[in-house]
Amino acid sequence: LAGLSISHCLDINEINSFDGFAVIHLEMQGLLLTEGIITLQPNVFGHLDLSSSNISGDLNASAFLGITVGGDVSLANTIIFGDWWEAFFQVTIFGTLDWTDSKILGNIQFGSFESFSASSLLFDRTEIHGNLNNSFKNLQIEGNFSMKGVKVFGMIVNSFLQMEIGTNADFSEMVVEGSILNNSFRALKTGKDLYMQHLTVSGFIGFMSFEGMVILGTWNMSHSLISGNLGPWAFYNPLITDKFDWSYSNISGTVGLTFNGGSLGIVTMTHMNISGVLDVYAMPVAHMESLDLSYSHISGEIRRQAFVGLNIVTNLDLSHTVVSGSIDGLAFASAVINTNFYWRNSVLSGTILPNAFYGATVFGSFDMSGTIFSGTLNNSAFGTMVIQTVNMTYTTWKGTTAVSLWNSTFIRGSFYMFGSTFETLAAFPAGYFQRMFVEGTVDLH
C-alpha cells in the first residue's frame, strides 16, 4: 500500500480473521491522510511500516487497539497534523518502535501508547510542536528508550509515566523550549544508565516531572544549559546507584525544589557556571556518596536551605571555586559531611550571609587553605557548626569580615591558621574569634 493517498477514512479491521488469514507484513509507506479517521486493528506477524507518512486526520480509540506486532513498527519520517487519542492502546510489539526524524504538529493524548510494550522505543531527532498529553503510560521497554536530539516546542504533560526500561534511557541533546509538566517521566526505571548530556532547557521542567526515578547505573547530565526553570518537584526523590554527573553545565535560570530526598550516589558538578539561582530546597535532604563542585563559578545565588539536611558519606569539595554571588543563610543548614569539607584555593568575592552553615556537622577537616576572602563575610557566616579540624592556613583576607564569624562553632580538634595574611583592618575585626570553642590547638604562627 506504499504511497496510498486517502482523502477521508481508512478502515482495515479484523483482517486477521478471514479464513485464518493473518497479515505477515503491512507496509504503508508514504500514507497521505488529509482528513477523517484511521481505524486499524490488524495483528501483524511481521513488521508494520507507516514510515514517511503524512497524517492530518485523527487516530481514535480504534486505531491499533490491542494489536500484536511480531516484528518492528516504523513511523519514521512521518508528519502528524491530527489528534490521536487512545491510539496504540494495549499494544505489544516484539520488535522496535521507530518514530525517528518525525514532526508531531498535533496532539497525542488520552491513552495513546498506554499499557504498551516493545523491545525498544526510538524517538531520535523528532520535533514535538503540539502536546503529548496523558500518553505513553505504563510502558514496558525490554531494551533501550531513546529521545536523543528531540525538540519540544509544545508541552509534555502527564506522559511517559511508569516506564520500565531494561537497559538505557537516552535524552541527550534534547531541547525543551516548551514545558515538561505534571508527572511526566515519573517513576522512570532503567536497568542501566540515563543519558541527559547536552540537555537544553529554556522553558520549564517541573511539577513532579522525573519524580521517583530509579537508575541502576549512572545519570549523565553533563554539559547542560538551563536558562529556564527546573522545579518545583522536578527530579524529586531519585535513586541512583552509581553516579550523577552534572559537570560542565551552565545554569542561568532557576533551580528550585528539585532533587529533594532520595539517593544520588557520587555527585559530580565540577566546572559549573551558576549565574542563576539555586533556590530554596534546590537539593535538600539528599543522600550522597560525595558532592564535588570544584572549579565552578557561582555568580548567582545559593538561597536559603538550598542544600539543607544533606548527608554526604565522604567529601564535599568546593575547591578552586569562585563565589562572586551570594550564599544565603541556612543554605547548607544541618548538612552532615562524614569525612572532609574542602574549599581550598578558592576566591570568595561575594557574600556569605549569617548562619549559611547553621548546624552543619563535619566529622573530618573543614579545609579552606589557600583561599582568598575579598568579599563580605557576615556575622556567624561559619557559625554554629560542629567540626573536627579547621584548616585556614595560608589564606588571604582583604574583604569585610563581621564580628563573631565563628559564632558558637564547636571544633573538637584543632584550628590552624598559620601563614595567613590580613590586608585590612576590616578583614580582621575585634571579635573575629568571639564565641568560638576549640578543644585542641589554635595555631596562628
Side-chain angles (χ1 to χ4, degrees):
L1 296 175
L4 183 65
S5 179
I6 299 170
S7 62
H8 190 56
C9 294
L10 172 64
D11 188 339
I12 304 180
N13 268 324
E14 300 179 0
I15 57 176
N16 57 316
S17 64
F18 298 126
D19 300 322
F21 172 75
V23 179
I24 303 301
H25 303 295
L26 178 58
E27 300 186 2
M28 302 172 66
Q29 304 102 313
L31 170 68
L32 175 62
L33 181 68
T34 56
E35 63 178 72
I37 294 174
I38 291 182
T39 303
L40 289 168
Q41 292 180 339
N43 285 326
V44 181
F45 293 164
H47 62 261
L48 174 60
D49 192 342
L50 288 164
S51 61
S52 303
S53 296
N54 187 326
I55 301 173
S56 57
D58 297 333
L59 267 65
N60 73 352
S62 298
F64 303 102
L65 173 65
I67 69 167
T68 298
V69 180
D72 298 328
V73 175
S74 180
L75 286 161
N77 298 293
T78 56
I79 299 177
I80 310 298
F81 290 98
D83 291 338
W84 295 16
W85 64 98
E86 293 189 8
F88 290 93
F89 184 74
Q90 294 181 337
V91 169
T92 300
I93 299 173
F94 287 97
T96 296
L97 172 60
D98 182 353
W99 207 338
T100 56
D101 301 296
S102 298
K103 288 187 177 180
I104 299 172
L105 306 175
N107 300 310
I108 297 178
Q109 55 195 351
F110 302 119
S112 293
F113 297 94
E114 187 169 337
S115 300
F116 175 93
S117 65
S119 176
S120 295
L121 182 55
L122 309 177
F123 272 91
D124 298 350
R125 299 171 301 280
T126 287
E127 295 185 9
I128 301 170
H129 294 261
N131 298 322
L132 300 185
N133 186 4
N134 284 277
S135 54
F136 296 95
K137 296 181 180 180
N138 301 315
L139 300 187
Q140 299 282 335
I141 308 298
E142 181 180 351
N144 296 324
F145 174 86
S146 182
M147 294 186 80
K148 183 176 182 178
V150 164
K151 295 181 179 179
V152 181
F153 299 98
M155 296 177 66
I156 298 179
V157 179
N158 209 36
S159 297
F160 298 100
L161 270 72
Q162 296 179 322
M163 289 197 299
E164 291 193 15
I165 299 166
T167 53
N168 301 316
D170 191 348
F171 295 89
S172 60
E173 301 174 24
M174 189 176 186
V175 176
V176 181
E177 294 191 11
S179 299
I180 299 178
L181 300 171
N182 292 25
N183 303 307
S184 293
F185 300 99
R186 188 177 186 182
L188 170 67
K189 296 180 181 179
T190 68
K192 291 187 178 178
D193 300 327
L194 172 62
Y195 303 118
M196 281 189 174
Q197 60 268 40
H198 299 282
L199 171 71
T200 299
V201 180
S202 57
F204 190 80
I205 297 180
F207 297 116
M208 305 299 282
S209 294
F210 297 95
E211 185 269 342
M213 291 191 299
V214 177
I215 310 300
L216 301 181
T218 295
W219 178 6
N220 188 343
M221 205 171 167
S222 63
H223 300 88
S224 294
L225 174 61
I226 312 296
S227 57
N229 296 317
L230 295 183
W233 299 298
F235 306 108
Y236 189 89
N237 197 28
L239 172 60
I240 304 166
T241 59
D242 294 347
K243 183 178 181 181
F244 172 50
D245 187 351
W246 205 358
S247 56
Y248 295 95
S249 294
N250 192 323
I251 300 173
S252 57
T254 298
V255 178
L257 197 54
T258 55
F259 306 101
N260 194 316
S263 179
L264 296 169
I266 298 170
V267 179
T268 302
M269 295 173 67
T270 62
H271 300 89
M272 292 203 46
N273 186 356
I274 302 172
S275 57
V277 175
L278 293 183
D279 211 344
V280 177
Y281 299 121
M283 195 177 286
V285 202
H287 181 275
M288 306 174 184
E289 288 296 315
S290 61
L291 174 58
D292 189 350
L293 274 159
S294 60
Y295 296 96
S296 295
H297 185 183
I298 302 169
S299 57
E301 297 179 66
I302 298 179
R303 288 186 177 167
R304 295 174 67 83
Q305 299 179 310
F307 292 93
V308 65
L310 276 185
N311 190 326
I312 300 175
V313 174
T314 56
N315 301 319
L316 170 59
D317 195 344
L318 286 160
S319 299
H320 303 281
T321 57
V322 176
V323 181
S324 57
S326 63
I327 299 177
D328 208 347
L330 307 179
F332 290 88
S334 303
V336 177
I337 301 160
N338 287 282
T339 312
N340 299 314
F341 183 176
Y342 298 120
W343 209 342
R344 299 174 294 201
N345 302 308
S346 297
V347 177
L348 274 65
S349 59
T351 301
I352 299 180
L353 291 160
N355 298 316
F357 300 91
Y358 182 86
T361 300
V362 181
F363 285 97
S365 175
F366 181 26
D367 187 348
M368 297 192 77
S369 58
T371 289
I372 299 172
F373 298 90
S374 58
T376 300
L377 298 175
N378 278 274
N379 178 38
S380 299
F382 299 126
T384 65
M385 299 174 72
V386 177
I387 307 170
Q388 182 62 38
T389 303
V390 174
N391 183 359
M392 285 276 179
T393 58
Y394 300 102
T395 51
T396 301
W397 302 74
K398 52 186 177 181
T400 300
T401 306
V403 175
S404 298
L405 175 66
W406 299 92
N407 183 23
S408 300
T409 286
F410 181 73
I411 300 170
R412 293 170 174 170
S414 299
F415 181 93
Y416 300 107
M417 206 171 185
F418 56 81
S420 293
T421 302
F422 289 87
E423 296 185 0
T424 65
L425 289 175
F428 191 46
Y432 178 91
F433 296 109
Q434 183 175 315
R435 299 188 66 191
M436 190 179 172
F437 302 92
V438 183
E439 282 194 340
T441 301
V442 177
D443 188 344
L444 304 175
H445 79 272

